[in-house]
Amino acid sequence: MHPSSANFAVGSYSCPWIVFHDLVRTSKPFLRDATECSAYALLLFGGSMEVQAGAGLIVVAGWTRLTANAQIGALIGGLRKRVDELLDKKVEDPTVSIAGTTEMRIIVKI
């Protein structure tokens, strides 16, 4: 973690994943613009998602492997598709409110 990061002094994290924008190399590699990330956030926003039902895995972005049954993968995949559609609508028309939708309420809960 880069010394200028707000997370530099954090001793332990409550989430198992950290996402970052920059990896800089000075005297050693440092992460900048980094934040904790839950498994659900990775599943919903982390890149392509592949459900490997036989292995009980969901693979995100081709390398992050999360243990889950196929039903969870199908549910998350469906929610993700709906959220992508809502975000596309919001980009097309910024005045559209998506905050009160069922999908957004589910995301807030999980």
Side-chain angles (χ1 to χ4, degrees), residues 6-7 15 21-22 25 30 32 34 37-38 40-41 62 64 71 73 79 83 92-93 102:
N7 291 318
C15 294
H21 184 263
D22 280 328
R25 295 177 196 273
F30 288 107
R32 289 199 316 203
C37 182
S38 71
Y40 281 116
T64 305
Q71 185 179 11
L79 178 58
V83 169
E92 287 174 19
D93 181 1
T102 301

Side-chain angles (χ1 to χ4, degrees), residues 22-45:
D22 280 328
L23 172 65
V24 294
R25 295 177 196 273
T26 55
S27 58
K28 60 182 180 178
F30 288 107
L31 300 179
R32 289 199 316 203
D33 302 325
T35 190
E36 291 182 79
C37 182
S38 71
Y40 281 116
L42 282 176
L43 288 169
L44 290 167
F45 306 108

Side-chain angles (χ1 to χ4, degrees), residues 64-84:
T64 305
R65 297 178 182 281
L66 302 169
T67 304
N69 65 41
Q71 185 179 11
I72 296 296
L75 290 169
I76 291 292
L79 178 58
R80 186 177 182 164
K81 182 177 182 211
R82 285 291 300 138
V83 169
D84 285 348

Side-chain angles (χ1 to χ4, degrees), residues 5 16 25 30 34 43 49 52 54 61 68 70 90 101 109:
S5 170
R25 295 177 196 273
F30 288 107
L43 288 169
M49 186 178 85
Q52 296 179 357
K90 184 69 173 174
T101 63
K109 275 190 172 183

